[in-house]
Amino acid sequence: MKILVLMKQTFDTETKISLDANGKIDEAGVNFVVNPYCEFAVEEALRIKERLGAGEVTVLSVGPERAETSIRQCLAMGADKGVLVNTGGLEGGDEFTTAQIVAKAIEKVEYDIILAGFQAVDDGSAQVAPRVAELLGIPQVTVITKLELEDGKAIATREIDDGVEIIEVALPAIFTAQQGLAEPRYPSMKGIMQAKKKPMERYSLADLGLDAGLVGTDGAKVKIVELSLPTPRKGGKIVEGEPAEAAQKVVQLLRSEAKVI
Amino acid sequence: MVPSRPLGWYGDTYVIMWFLMLVVFAVFGKGVYDRYRLWRLGVDEQRFAGFGQGIKNVLIHGIGHKRILREGYPGLMHLFILSGFLVFALGTLAVAVQEDLHLEIYQGSFYLILTFLLDIFGLAAIVGILMAFVRRYVLKPDRLDTTPDDGVSLVLILGILVTGFILEAQRIAITADPWAAWSPVGNALAGLFAGADNGSLKGIHQLFWWTHLLLTFGFIAYLPHSKMFHILAMALNQFFLKEKPAQALAPIDFSNEELEQFGVSKVEEFTWKQLLDTDACVRCGRCQDNCPAYLSQKPLSPKALIQDLKAHLGEKGPILLAQQAAARQRGTASQVAAAGEGAGAVLEKALTGEVIQEDTLWSCTTCRSCEEQCPAFIGHVPTVVDMRRNLVMMESNFPQEAQLAFRGMENNGNPWNVGWKSRADWIEGLDVKTMAEAEEGEVVDFIYWPGCAGAFDNRYRKVATSVVKLLQKAGSKFAILGTEEKCCGDTARRLGNEYLFANLVQENVEVMNGYNVQTIVTSCPHCLNTLKNEYPQFGGNYEVIHHSEFISRLMAEGKLKVAKELGAKITYHDSCYLGRYNDIYEQPRKILQNIPGVQLVEMERHNYRGFCCGAGGGRMFLEEHLGERINLMRTEQALALEPDVIATACPFCLTMLEDGTKAKDVIDHVKTRDLAEILVDVVQ
């Protein structure tokens, strides 16, 4: 079985975001990691391969040159090969343009099933994989926590409000991973050593026959007008005194200071 | 008449004796050689520190009993037995020189003194053996496990000693020895044979002589196959000893692309010294008696660990040797395989998981108590870490929580995975510069290294702040690395992630060597040990000082003066990495003793017997699912003294013990505080 994983490189989850002079997110000194949800997808792909005892796991990422380190990280976990579509300088796209690029790149890859993180921890828009499914014209099951494969079909469990939905689809299909699908492994030394030598296909946008004007900032449907940091949270207030007395004070404060009642 | 005693009564049977002796020596030699070959299955390790040093070690620790005598009963017991053994070896040698080399030495005052000593030490040895019997079969302390070999060994030695005295008594009776007074034990026993006629007594004497001889020969032949082999193996281990094996673990050369195995997955991947360790262990159980993991009912006993490895080496080693021999004789692959035939199960037994359980390895807090108590100087901790390395780096198989710590150290340079950019936030308002700021022309005598805890942990930031205030009061000139500092790597290394450790060290060394750092003052004993003893492996050579040492020095120099009294009963908890790892026991106590009004009280387990808080060896970042909670045990030991304050000098200990007082619901009146916090409140 050929398993394709769509992976996004994101900021480390602990990064303290700051804006530069131009009001853009400052990337200086930021650590980049595999988007944690994509990591669940990679892990699930590896487990499918291990369960079947055969198969190939390909990790595809769209992004600048630095995305290679995250692809290597997935190769160290055990994926077989990487595909990097280097957007080289055209990083201003949105979910729409990224999905276009991914769909085009997928033409170069064989697959029976596609896995991806259900959202990226940076922008959290959860759109790329569903859009790719639409572009490829294959079924999609999002936010899954369990995946079982049978002959030519898959049974996926997805999270919904107050419960789960169990969905059967024909393959090929796209599944997006929620936490709980598979806890990612830590790469072994063997994995780390081998990852350096595993194949990595690289494409530029031109290689894919994509017009830069359509996929960069110019092609994006979403225009970012302004970015601002959230206002820092203020410390709480502890009201002391006897319960009855304190309650009275709290009500007063809610009226006069917080102005919520 | 020159004092002596008649020898050679049974000279006509010496041919038989010599023949037997050859056989016995052959059996002994073969036994020793077989063990030697097993050790040689291990990989290389440089442990030779010169003959002089080696012999000195054996004299101090073997003959001198330095560690063995730390415990009264078993210490004296062993001293009695060993001194008897040594005096007897001397006596036998003297007799052999006289009888076989015909040098007349066994006479005169030398004879009188020697025969007297033989009696006294022989009696001491008997007392020792009886003490051993009582201890093993009547008192039965938990740390002793008893096998038939233990009984056989004791009976053999007792037999040799008793028959020796009977022989002496009979000889005195037969010869009416005029110097019998110099053989007080034999002389006293001679009364037993007073009535017998000389003829039949001689017959009995010959019977005892042969019995004595055969028992002794039996002892020699049996020695390499019994616990008594420790006489040789422990002496060797002491010859090659390293005072603190766990202090600096062996690095791995990751630039060597030929390396395919990281850590130890098979018994033959240990070094020869680690394999020798298994024979040097005589199962005394001092390690187990002081092991926080064992005492909290976790599946680890250092003694059992070493013994399990020994048993596995014993079953697997001979098969490997047979295979090697077959391969050397240019045997075909099938012949080589045949040498291991029927041994498949043994060869396939996984070292980690089957021979040694994974939980056993993860239970170790690397507190070094086992190593510190071990009279044989076995290096338990490196052996544990070597197997952890295999689990982590080869099998990626470890407690899940460790992954968070690994990720944190990888991405943000700290095991809590707090964003690295906030590493210097704690100095806000403290007037402390970073090296990057201080570089321009400012004098910096040393860098202060708060460690990850000092930089990120809210509770420990207060300690780092106190240290900074003390340093400033004393007028010290220092800076911090700030966001350029990364985790020292101790947690990664001791959890077995040597690769991550090596990466962290490389980055830190690059930064510090770039600033030409000479001296580091740190607040974390784990950083202290790693920076001081392990960074030199990677080209990082610094003078590293713990804040307790440094502050104590500042007080001695008069740069810090205590201005207030502190009426408090304080017990100081020894950090393993400060105490056992780096011999810093006195300085922290001195700080407290120099505060007027402080009543310093000691827990039963303190100094080198200090009881771990449970957080070493990366356990700070693992859940404690098995057995009792070590931090609660330690807290209870402290609370038994009814202190006002539990003083610590390590971020992990502080967290563990403070959590302990919280769990015991005494946090309101028993404070857990670092020495620096205590001191900063009372200095001028």
Side-chain angles (χ1 to χ4, degrees):
Chain A
M1 171 160 296
K2 294 196 185 305
I3 310 161
L4 173 64
V5 184
L6 310 181
M7 184 274 292
K8 182 176 186 182
Q9 186 183 48
T10 61
F11 280 27
D12 171 44
T13 45
E14 300 304 317
T15 305
K16 222 162 105 187
I17 306 282
S18 55
L19 301 179
D20 63 16
N22 302 322
K24 295 233 167 93
I25 293 171
D26 190 1
E27 287 197 5
V30 165
N31 286 325
F32 291 94
V33 299
V34 177
N35 171 36
Y37 293 101
C38 295
E39 218 175 347
F40 302 142
V42 173
E43 178 62 35
E44 180 65 14
L46 296 174
R47 290 190 192 181
I48 292 170
K49 181 184 158 183
E50 283 161 3
R51 267 202 301 275
L52 299 175
E56 188 183 52
V57 177
T58 305
V59 175
L60 184 152
S61 193
V62 173
E65 189 60 32
R66 59 169 158 76
E68 183 181 337
T69 56
S70 290
I71 298 179
R72 293 278 176 211
Q73 177 76 13
C74 300
L75 298 181
M77 286 172 72
D80 300 289
K81 66 176 200 192
V83 179
L84 171 63
V85 181
N86 194 333
T87 48
L90 286 171
E91 275 84 49
D94 63 357
E95 297 80 3
F96 167 76
T97 58
T98 306
Q100 302 279 332
I101 301 170
V102 171
K104 201 77 183 159
I106 288 177
E107 287 175 12
K108 308 260 186 192
V109 185
E110 287 180 66
Y111 66 88
D112 299 308
I113 179 171
I114 300 178
L115 296 168
F118 98 85
Q119 65 173 358
V121 292
D122 48 12
D123 53 28
S125 68
Q127 289 188 30
V128 172
R131 282 176 180 275
V132 169
E134 290 299 315
L135 290 170
L136 296 179
I138 59 173
Q140 54 171 296
V141 186
T142 56
V143 205
I144 67 165
T145 53
K146 194 176 169 195
L147 182 61
E148 286 166 285
L149 300 179
E150 281 171 32
D151 256 350
K153 65 175 185 184
I155 299 153
T157 304
R158 71 185 294 264
E159 263 183 10
I160 53 169
D161 287 346
D162 299 327
V164 293
E165 214 170 35
I166 296 169
I167 293 176
E168 187 182 304
V169 283
L171 294 181
I174 288 188
F175 301 89
T176 67
Q178 164 66 308
Q179 181 159 27
L181 179 62
E183 200 50 48
R185 71 194 61 191
Y186 189 78
S188 68
M189 271 316 289
K190 207 169 131 201
I192 293 168
M193 303 294 238
Q194 286 174 347
K196 295 175 189 162
K197 296 172 196 148
K198 283 181 179 171
M200 176 88 67
E201 290 172 23
R202 294 156 183 285
Y203 301 105
S204 66
L205 296 176
D207 292 338
L208 298 178
L210 286 165
D211 180 351
L214 291 178
V215 292
T217 321
D218 298 343
K221 303 276 185 197
V222 177
K223 309 282 180 215
I224 294 172
V225 182
E226 198 198 333
L227 285 169
S228 63
L229 296 173
T231 40
R233 209 189 294 176
K234 286 182 200 139
K237 191 174 254 178
I238 292 172
V239 179
E240 303 202 0
E242 291 298 308
E245 202 182 309
Q248 215 162 29
K249 251 190 236 168
V250 169
V251 172
Q252 221 170 40
L253 288 172
L254 286 173
R255 261 207 198 105
S256 59
E257 262 185 42
K259 297 193 171 106
V260 289
I261 51 172
Chain B
M1 207 162 96
V2 180
S4 186
R5 69 171 167 93
L7 295 167
W9 280 2
Y10 310 110
D12 49 337
T13 59
Y14 279 8
V15 183
I16 307 172
M17 182 187 82
W18 287 118
F19 172 72
L20 269 177
M21 196 166 122
L22 277 181
V23 174
V24 163
F25 278 19
V27 172
F28 173 81
K30 167 85 166 65
V32 174
Y33 181 63
D34 282 348
R35 300 312 299 180
Y36 169 79
R37 291 210 307 159
L38 291 180
W39 308 333
R40 291 303 301 267
L41 282 169
V43 300
D44 275 349
E45 181 184 352
Q46 165 50 32
R47 288 295 286 264
F48 183 65
F51 277 107
Q53 184 58 47
I55 287 165
K56 195 175 142 197
N57 295 337
V58 177
L59 288 177
I60 293 173
H61 295 289
I63 313 290
H65 277 60
K66 192 173 169 199
R67 277 194 180 175
I68 306 173
L69 278 175
R70 279 174 176 176
E71 293 188 9
Y73 187 124
L76 283 177
M77 172 191 102
H78 191 270
L79 181 66
F80 289 162
I81 299 172
L82 178 75
S83 50
F85 179 86
L86 291 174
V87 174
F88 279 117
L90 185 68
T92 310
L93 190 70
V95 170
V97 167
Q98 169 100 19
E99 261 202 288
D100 303 314
L101 301 179
H102 306 293
L103 297 170
E104 307 285 315
I105 62 159
Y106 200 49
Q107 51 179 284
S109 49
F110 177 73
Y111 163 75
L112 290 179
I113 292 168
L114 187 55
T115 196
F116 180 72
L117 289 179
L118 282 166
D119 263 42
I120 298 304
F121 282 96
L123 188 64
I126 288 180
V127 171
I129 291 290
L130 294 179
M131 283 168 81
F133 267 112
V134 170
R135 192 157 172 272
R136 184 168 291 279
Y137 298 103
V138 182
L139 303 176
K140 293 185 189 167
D142 173 58
R143 76 186 197 197
L144 291 187
D145 64 294
T146 297
T147 66
D149 173 48
D150 296 309
V152 171
S153 300
L154 287 177
V155 169
L156 251 182
I157 299 171
L158 186 64
I160 294 168
L161 292 166
V162 170
T163 53
F165 276 124
I166 292 174
L167 281 172
E168 184 175 58
Q170 290 170 341
R171 178 194 41 86
I172 289 169
I174 292 166
T175 59
D177 186 351
W179 298 285
W182 293 87
S183 308
V185 181
N187 198 21
L189 291 176
L192 294 174
F193 307 100
D197 70 287
N198 254 5
S200 57
L201 200 50
K202 270 202 157 174
I204 301 171
H205 185 269
Q206 186 164 16
L207 183 71
F208 271 95
W209 188 83
W210 273 107
T211 311
H212 185 68
L213 185 86
L214 289 175
L215 284 173
T216 310
F217 279 178
F219 175 82
I220 296 169
Y222 182 52
L223 191 136
H225 308 280
S226 80
K227 67 184 291 191
M228 292 177 299
F229 189 51
H230 82 276
I231 300 169
L232 283 177
M234 201 184 278
L236 267 181
N237 235 28
Q238 290 167 341
F239 183 87
F240 290 111
L241 77 78
K242 222 189 239 177
E243 278 288 343
K244 304 179 188 303
Q247 192 186 49
L249 299 172
I252 293 175
D253 178 12
F254 289 104
S255 66
N256 177 1
E257 296 202 354
E258 315 248 294
L259 273 187
E260 285 180 349
Q261 172 64 38
F262 301 92
V264 170
S265 68
K266 297 187 183 109
V267 72
E268 65 271 24
E269 288 163 2
F270 283 118
T271 71
W272 63 267
K273 178 60 182 56
Q274 287 172 305
L275 299 182
L276 171 60
D277 277 353
T278 68
D279 274 335
C281 173
V282 72
R283 302 175 12 253
C284 76
R286 289 173 191 229
C287 51
Q288 181 179 304
D289 252 5
N290 289 283
C291 173
Y294 180 82
L295 294 175
S296 62
Q297 292 91 45
K298 294 186 178 52
L300 164 65
S301 150
K303 176 181 85 168
L305 174 93
I306 297 298
Q307 286 299 318
D308 288 347
L309 290 177
K310 178 182 167 130
H312 182 56
L313 178 64
E315 62 179 2
K316 192 181 180 188
I319 301 169
L320 294 174
L321 289 170
Q323 284 183 333
Q324 282 180 3
R328 261 200 307 278
Q329 286 157 7
R330 276 181 246 137
T332 60
S334 67
Q335 272 176 317
V336 175
E341 210 179 327
V346 172
L347 289 176
E348 275 163 33
K349 217 189 236 183
L351 180 67
T352 47
E354 283 182 89
V355 178
I356 306 295
Q357 297 301 311
E358 289 163 19
D359 278 339
T360 302
L361 298 174
W362 296 119
S363 293
C364 178
T365 68
T366 69
C367 77
R368 259 203 89 245
S369 194
C370 48
E371 293 185 356
E372 189 61 34
Q373 320 303 336
C374 182
F377 288 84
I378 290 168
H380 309 79
V381 177
T383 295
V384 166
V385 174
D386 278 342
M387 288 187 275
R388 284 185 177 181
R389 285 178 175 177
N390 176 61
L391 287 177
V392 171
M393 291 191 286
M394 300 306 292
E395 298 180 17
S396 193
N397 171 12
F398 47 79
Q400 212 194 322
E401 315 88 77
Q403 188 157 340
L404 291 173
F406 290 158
R407 289 286 174 97
M409 288 184 268
E410 270 165 29
N411 294 331
N412 286 299
N414 69 85
W416 285 285
N417 199 20
V418 184
W420 66 271
K421 271 191 175 172
S422 54
R423 192 168 195 116
D425 289 4
W426 68 279
I427 51 167
E428 212 185 283
L430 281 178
D431 191 25
V432 173
K433 290 210 164 114
T434 62
M435 281 302 276
E437 293 164 347
E439 247 213 315
E440 281 134 46
E442 242 174 276
V443 181
V444 171
D445 292 331
F446 60 88
I447 61 165
Y448 173 58
W449 178 288
C452 299
F456 293 113
D457 179 65
N458 273 337
R459 175 66 185 87
Y460 212 65
R461 276 180 170 191
K462 290 182 188 158
V463 175
T465 303
S466 304
V467 173
V468 162
K469 285 182 180 162
L470 289 169
L471 294 177
Q472 287 171 337
K473 276 183 195 201
S476 302
K477 295 186 173 59
F478 65 97
I480 63 165
L481 288 177
T483 54
E484 290 185 278
E485 178 185 310
K486 283 202 149 101
C487 173
C488 67
D490 162 77
T491 292
R493 182 169 237 197
R494 279 164 180 78
L495 280 173
N497 198 338
E498 183 69 12
Y499 183 65
L500 175 55
F501 170 72
N503 286 337
L504 290 165
V505 178
Q506 204 189 340
E507 294 181 58
N508 280 326
V509 167
E510 228 163 79
V511 169
M512 288 195 283
N513 288 358
Y515 285 123
N516 194 20
V517 168
Q518 307 286 332
T519 307
I520 305 170
V521 173
T522 178
S523 279
C524 175
H526 294 262
C527 299
L528 170 86
N529 185 65
T530 296
L531 293 168
K532 183 175 175 175
N533 302 312
E534 298 188 316
Y535 272 44
Q537 295 167 350
F538 300 82
N541 296 290
Y542 320 105
E543 183 195 10
V544 191
I545 310 165
H546 185 258
H547 75 237
S548 63
E549 273 179 288
F550 198 75
I551 290 169
S552 148
R553 207 186 285 174
L554 291 174
M555 290 172 86
E557 289 168 358
K559 290 182 182 161
L560 284 175
K561 289 199 182 75
V562 180
K564 279 184 232 163
E565 249 188 58
L566 182 68
K569 189 172 172 188
I570 303 181
T571 183
Y572 171 70
H573 161 83
D574 282 290
S575 145
C576 306
Y577 277 70
L578 213 51
R580 272 189 296 267
Y581 274 77
N582 289 289
D583 288 325
I584 301 170
Y585 299 112
E586 288 312 313
Q587 299 91 320
R589 292 179 166 82
K590 212 169 265 170
I591 294 177
L592 294 172
Q593 283 161 344
N594 280 332
I595 304 175
V598 165
Q599 183 196 354
L600 182 63
V601 286
E602 294 288 359
M603 290 180 257
E604 193 210 328
R605 291 180 188 270
H606 68 279
N607 276 6
Y608 70 88
R609 285 191 65 223
F611 193 77
C612 180
C613 69
R619 289 231 44 107
M620 177 75 192
F621 302 95
L622 305 183
E623 298 287 340
E624 195 172 346
H625 296 297
L626 304 167
E628 234 178 300
R629 296 190 68 87
I630 295 173
N631 69 324
L632 288 187
M633 292 173 68
R634 186 54 167 171
T635 307
E636 282 163 13
Q637 292 169 20
L639 294 181
L641 301 170
E642 299 182 332
D644 303 309
V645 179
I646 302 172
T648 61
C650 167
F652 295 167
C653 300
L654 181 69
T655 304
M656 296 306 266
L657 296 178
E658 196 167 70
D659 281 356
T661 59
K662 226 178 277 171
K664 290 262 142 201
D665 215 11
V666 294
I667 193 164
D668 285 337
H669 59 276
V670 183
K671 301 287 173 208
T672 309
R673 305 185 77 195
D674 189 276
L675 297 167
E677 292 180 295
I678 297 172
L679 187 67
V680 81
D681 284 349
V682 294
V683 286
Q684 260 171 8

